[in-house]
């Protein structure tokens, strides 16, 4: 998980696994206060990353991972929002089936429950800022990158099972037990 802000309000037992990352980072944030490990589990150790019962599978936090306000650039480099949206629109216009699409751009703030991608065909799923932070229901499986272009102040990442990375352009509150 990468957040351009803090992680608070964790409920239940959500899970984030750093997998095979050599650096062992489970959560990265723009806030430098998160540097130095999760400590003894006391949220006072890291005021920006209040992990609660978040299972990090031994992964550690990385404070100052990105410069505040640069979450998009951290993930996509010089590729702009306009370019990614154009790729998503072109796939829709070409009539590609959902399973063949690589770029998905969501502008609806309605609850979201669609699965995307596979281990051999990862996707880039962007929730536009107008979509707010989506309420993801039903435990969809999403393989690839999920970029939420607004803070997640109510829904965390919902019930998503993300096999890849979840990036939030702002802080995350309310990460719940169904997020993996």
């Amino acid at each position: 998980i990468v957040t351009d802000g803090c992680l608070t309000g964790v409920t239940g037992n959500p899970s984030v696994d750093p997998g095979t990352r050599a650096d062992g980072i489970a959560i990265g944030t723009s806030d430098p206060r998160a540097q130095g490990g999760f400590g003894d589990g006391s949220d006072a150790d890291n005021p920006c990353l209040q992990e609660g019962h978040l299972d990090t599978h031994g992964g550690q936090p990385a404070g100052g991972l990105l410069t505040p306000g640069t979450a998009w650039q951290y993930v996509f480099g010089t590729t702009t929002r306009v370019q990614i949206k154009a790729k998503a629109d072109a796939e829709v216009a070409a009539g590609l089936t959902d399973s063949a699409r690589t770029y998905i751009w969501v502008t609806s703030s309605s609850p979201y429950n669609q699965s995307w991608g596979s281990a051999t065909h990862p996707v880039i799923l962007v929730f536009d800022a107008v979509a707010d932070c989506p309420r993801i229901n039903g435990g969809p499986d999403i393989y690839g990158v999920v970029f939420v272009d607004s803070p997640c102040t109510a829904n965390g990442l919902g019930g998503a099972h993300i096999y890849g990375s979840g990036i939030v352009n702002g802080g995350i509150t309310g990460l719940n037990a169904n997020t993996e």
Side-chain angles (χ1 to χ4, degrees):
I1 295 174
V2 176
T3 178
D4 190 3
C6 294
L7 171 68
T8 60
V10 176
T11 60
N13 295 298
S15 174
V16 59
D17 190 334
T20 58
R21 285 186 62 107
D23 59 12
I25 296 172
I27 300 171
T29 176
S30 59
D31 192 306
R33 294 176 295 171
Q35 194 64 36
F38 286 117
D40 63 2
S42 164
D43 289 340
D45 292 337
N46 286 302
C48 184
L49 292 179
Q50 298 177 13
E51 74 273 14
H53 294 285
L54 175 64
D55 184 354
T56 61
H57 299 273
Q60 293 298 308
L65 185 65
L66 61 149
T67 303
T70 65
W72 182 272
Q73 293 81 5
Y74 177 78
V75 178
F76 299 112
T78 60
T79 304
T80 67
R81 288 169 175 81
V82 171
Q83 291 169 317
I84 296 285
K85 185 172 185 321
K87 290 176 186 247
D89 291 347
E91 288 184 353
V92 171
L96 291 180
T97 63
D98 285 352
S99 63
R101 291 179 60 195
T102 301
Y103 300 93
I104 300 92
W105 193 277
V106 178
T107 58
S108 173
S109 60
S110 297
Y112 197 81
N113 63 3
Q114 184 160 348
S115 292
W116 287 100
S118 69
T120 58
H121 184 89
V123 300
I124 294 175
L125 172 59
V126 176
F127 288 94
D128 188 291
V130 300
D132 202 14
C133 183
R135 191 170 89 221
I136 301 175
N137 296 331
D141 293 324
I142 303 167
Y143 291 82
V145 173
V146 176
F147 187 89
V148 179
D149 208 2
S150 65
C152 284
T153 58
N155 303 317
L157 293 171
H161 302 152
I162 301 170
Y163 301 92
S165 295
I167 299 92
V168 176
N169 194 11
I172 301 173
T173 57
L175 191 64
N176 71 45
N178 298 320
T179 305
E180 295 181 7

